[in-house]
Structures are given as structure tokens and as C-alpha cells.
Amino acid sequence: MFRHATRVLATAIATALAATAVPAATAAAATPSTAGKSDPFYTYDSSTPLSSYAPGTVLKKRTLQYHIVGLPTPVKAVQLLYRTRDAQGHPAANVTTVVRSVKGDSSKAVSYQSFYDSLNPKDGPSRAIAGDVTLGGVIANAENLFLAPLLAQGYNVVIPDTEGQTADFAAGPEYATNTLDSIRAATDPEAGTGMNADTRVGLMGYSGGAIATNWAAALAPAYAPDVNKRLVGFAEGGLLVDPAHNLKYVDGSVVWSGVIPMAIIGVARSYGIDLKQYLNSYGQQVYGDLEHGSLLDALGHYPGLTWKKLAKPQYADPNSVTAFVEAVNKINLGSAATPTVPGFIAQGNGGVVEGTFGNPPGIGRGDGVMVAGDVRALARQYCATGNDSIAFHQYNLLSHVPVAAAWAPGAIGWLSDRFAGRPAPSDCGHIPAGNSLAPERPTPVS
């Protein structure tokens, strides 16, 4: 029975992810957006300075029906506006959603980090759950296939808007604070979720959700030791490790090259830097087109796009833009701390299937968007720096989208074992060598 259910779940996830990877088909299926309407719940409007609250403090709360593609379901969800901080360390307010365990169990929760990957805050999972329908929000709706088995197994599920209210795409440290403070808020007895400071938590996320998952696990010991002591582990797949490598890997690809301008915009927004000045007229046009776009506005829309096509001639090498180098180094997981809890990491290496043929020296191949050698290097780094509870699996024949289907059942099972107190498996000593994750160095302007 379990094997049959796993096969059904894997097939369903693959189907849903494939649908979200085809922007034209998804756009045709999307219903008119209601997200343009202002929702006062997202605004912190008290006269008390936000900085006066501790991270994770609940500022507002509401209970509503859980929606899927705009349609209400009988499931109830609690949404919380809470205090956190952004990529630059400034106080910020963000939203998370909690779906309570169907079994009424307050002892365990899974924080599920969405891969909604958007430069538009209205594409966040909390908006989709509240009933707003946007093109980018279709991704968050498809992820219900991941959430259903978690709820069926009796977990409370916490779903933070990892990118914050300004949609700071790819800003890993901010993803982490949003995630960790979401857990603090969700387990505050005042939140009314049934959970408390004793609730154990597992982290789970794929792709963009893996960014939040891994950064949260890495920053938890220093930023949120109160949360870290309750973490049972982190399960992730399709991970972004060193963004500078990914940009070179997807350069000129058929489908994934659209993440190049998304990364430029996300980095600029997250760290308050002006990168438009380094772009040519075409680059500035693409920047404007995607400034509030989602992953579905980028995938397949810019086949063959390269950094050189976007940049002024003297900045043909991205490392010649010092501000960009400094920013991408801040979001390189290779420079972050080693998590102290067990980890399950999966990665694909068949990116040619999704039209990414790049094999840059020192970087190599990946799943179409994520670099396999970077993920191997990070897993080995964790093993070498004190965490030998790292399980690792590389799918050599699978690309980014289908790996999610292969990863999800295993990730849920792995988390179940951690909650049950079983010893965490280790692949340390058996993980193939990876790439150097050393910080990028600026190069002279041409």
C-alpha cells in the first residue's frame, strides 16, 4: 500500500510541476487575479516601532478557509503577521500560514518552504491560500501535493512567505530569518495554533524552498537557538549553493536562462544596490519586464539569453561588477555555518533534458538550473566540519522538475524517521568530490 501511494504521489507531483514549468499553458489555465486588491492584513500599522518587538512576535492573526486556485476548501488556516528582519538586517513584518494537525497533535510540525520563486510579493503562498489567484501563485497552489501527505500523517504544517513582503528573490539569509521567525510565531501560544515552545519542527523545501530550508538550518544555531534546539532535521532538494556558479551554468540555456535577470533584480532589491547602470538598453528592458514577474514569466521566455546580452560591453564579465560580486558572496551557502541537525539532500544532474547544455570549467553540469558539483561540495563540507548526519542522493539521469517527484516521498519518510527518534543515516565518506565554493573575486572592468 505504501509503495503504491508513493508512486501515485510521485506521479502527481511530476505532473503538477511539469504544468507549472510551461508558462503558456499555465497562463491559459489561470483565472483572473484578485491579488491586486489591497489586503490590510499585510500592513503593520501600529504606532509602536516595529523594532521594539522581538523577532517572531505575532503582530496580527486571522483564521480563514484554505483556498486552492481560488476555491475555498473545508480546511481552516491560521495566518500570522509577525516581526522578522530583511536581508540587510532591518526590522520587517512578514506573513506565515499554519494548518493545524488533523489529529490535534501539538508535538510536531513541518515548516514547508515554498518554491514560488517570484519578484512579486502577491505570488506568495499566503496570498494563494487566502484565495488570490495570480500566474506566479499557481506554483504555490501546485505544492499542495506536497502538503497533503504531511497533513495526512498528522503534522502541523507551517508555510512562511520566505521571500518577505518585498519579494527579495534568492536572498538566502533573509529566507532564513523569515523561516525561523515564522516558526517562533507559529509556536507562540498566543498565536492560537495549538503549538508551543516544546513543538518539534522539521524543515522541508525543494528548489527555491531548499534555499530557505538550508539557510534556516545554517543560521538557526546563531540567529534562533531557541528554534534550533527543537529542529529534528532539514530535508531539501534542487539546492542553490553558489549563485555565481549558477549564472554561468545557465548562461545561454533554452529554458532556465530567464533566471539570470531574475537574479540580477533579486540581488539588487535585497541589498539596495543599483545594477541597472551596468546593463545595456536590452538589459534594462528585460529588467523592467521582469521587475515584478514570477518564475513563470521567465522560464522559456528568453531562450539563449546570456549575461553578455544584458550587460554593457565593459561589464561582459559579471565579476567586473564589484557590487554584484559582494552581494552574491553574501548568498553563497559555502560561506555560511554548518547546520547542527541532520540533513537529507537530493540533487539532479540530467539538466540537458531541460535544455541546459553548459559545462563550465570548475563548475560542471547540473539539473538544468542547479549545479550538482556545488551541492556535492556543500554536503562534503558539512561532513568535514562536524555534521556527519548528512544523507545525500544524486539523480544522474533526472533534471530539476522530475527530481522533485523522486525527492518528496523520500524526504517525508526521512523526516518521519527523525521525529520517531531513529538514528539519522550518513553518506559521509561516499559523496563524490564537488567544486570550490570559495567567494568570488572582482575582476577589472574591460
Side-chain angles (χ1 to χ4, degrees), residues 231-287:
L231 293 180
V232 301
F234 63 99
E236 65 194 23
L239 176 65
L240 172 70
V241 177
D242 184 341
H245 287 180
N246 291 74
L247 290 181
K248 294 173 185 176
Y249 169 56
V250 302
D251 212 46
S253 61
V254 177
V255 176
W256 289 101
S257 57
V259 302
I260 298 173
M262 285 191 71
I264 294 172
I265 298 167
V267 164
R269 181 183 298 172
S270 305
Y271 292 99
I273 55 180
D274 176 18
L275 293 180
K276 283 186 178 180
Q277 61 183 305
Y278 305 104
L279 304 179
N280 58 30
S281 57
Y282 175 65
Q284 294 197 25
Q285 175 191 324
V286 174
Y287 193 110

Side-chain angles (χ1 to χ4, degrees), residues 37 56 75 164 232 260 333 387 423:
K37 299 176 181 178
V75 177
V232 301
I260 298 173
L333 267 168
N387 189 344

Side-chain angles (χ1 to χ4, degrees), residues 33-49:
S33 171
T34 61
K37 299 176 181 178
S38 177
D39 186 341
F41 181 74
Y42 289 80
T43 302
Y44 175 69
D45 49 15
S46 172
S47 59
T48 304

Side-chain angles (χ1 to χ4, degrees), residues 117-405:
D117 296 343
S118 179
L119 291 161
N120 188 341
K122 292 179 179 178
D123 292 335
S126 70
R127 302 271 186 168
I129 290 167
D132 290 341
V133 180
T134 64
L135 174 60
V138 169
I139 292 178
N141 280 292
E143 288 179 286
N144 288 301
L145 289 167
F146 292 89
L147 303 178
L150 294 172
L151 291 170
Q153 291 185 27
Y155 296 107
N156 295 277
V157 179
V158 184
I159 313 161
D161 288 359
T162 54
E163 297 182 9
Q165 293 211 56
T166 53
D168 292 340
F169 174 70
E174 180 176 342
Y175 283 25
T177 54
N178 284 330
T179 298
L180 294 168
D181 289 330
S182 157
I183 294 170
R184 283 170 160 160
T187 56
D188 184 337
E190 298 298 319
T193 64
M195 293 183 285
N196 53 52
D198 294 324
T199 301
R200 294 181 301 152
V201 182
L203 300 170
M204 179 179 173
Y206 187 80
S207 191
I211 299 175
T213 296
N214 200 301
W215 272 100
L219 297 191
Y223 180 78
D226 53 314
V227 174
N228 191 64
K229 68 181 182 181
R230 295 187 281 131
L231 293 180
V232 301
F234 63 99
E236 65 194 23
L239 176 65
L240 172 70
V241 177
D242 184 341
H245 287 180
N246 291 74
L247 290 181
K248 294 173 185 176
Y249 169 56
V250 302
D251 212 46
S253 61
V254 177
V255 176
W256 289 101
S257 57
V259 302
I260 298 173
M262 285 191 71
I264 294 172
I265 298 167
V267 164
R269 181 183 298 172
S270 305
Y271 292 99
I273 55 180
D274 176 18
L275 293 180
K276 283 186 178 180
Q277 61 183 305
Y278 305 104
L279 304 179
N280 58 30
S281 57
Y282 175 65
Q284 294 197 25
Q285 175 191 324
V286 174
Y287 193 110
D289 290 343
L290 287 177
E291 195 165 8
H292 303 290
S294 73
L295 186 63
L296 298 186
D297 294 306
L299 285 184
H301 287 214
Y302 302 93
L305 184 67
T306 65
W307 173 281
K308 288 183 180 180
K309 290 180 181 179
L310 298 170
K312 292 177 180 177
Q314 63 268 39
Y315 302 113
D317 179 356
N319 283 28
S320 65
V321 182
T322 302
F324 183 74
V325 171
E326 291 175 349
V328 295
N329 282 341
K330 291 177 182 178
I331 54 178
N332 179 349
L333 267 168
S335 298
T338 295
T340 60
V341 296
F344 172 83
I345 304 172
Q347 177 60 41
N349 199 30
V352 293
V353 176
E354 293 180 17
T356 303
F357 303 101
N359 187 14
I363 297 174
R365 300 191 184 279
D367 64 7
V369 61
M370 305 306 186
V371 178
D374 288 359
V375 180
R376 294 195 304 271
L378 187 70
R380 286 168 61 94
Q381 180 174 306
Y382 289 167
C383 293
T385 52
N387 189 344
D388 59 1
S389 297
I390 300 296
F392 175 82
H393 190 85
Q394 181 169 298
Y395 297 90
N396 286 318
L397 300 180
L398 298 182
S399 57
H400 192 70
V401 172
V403 165

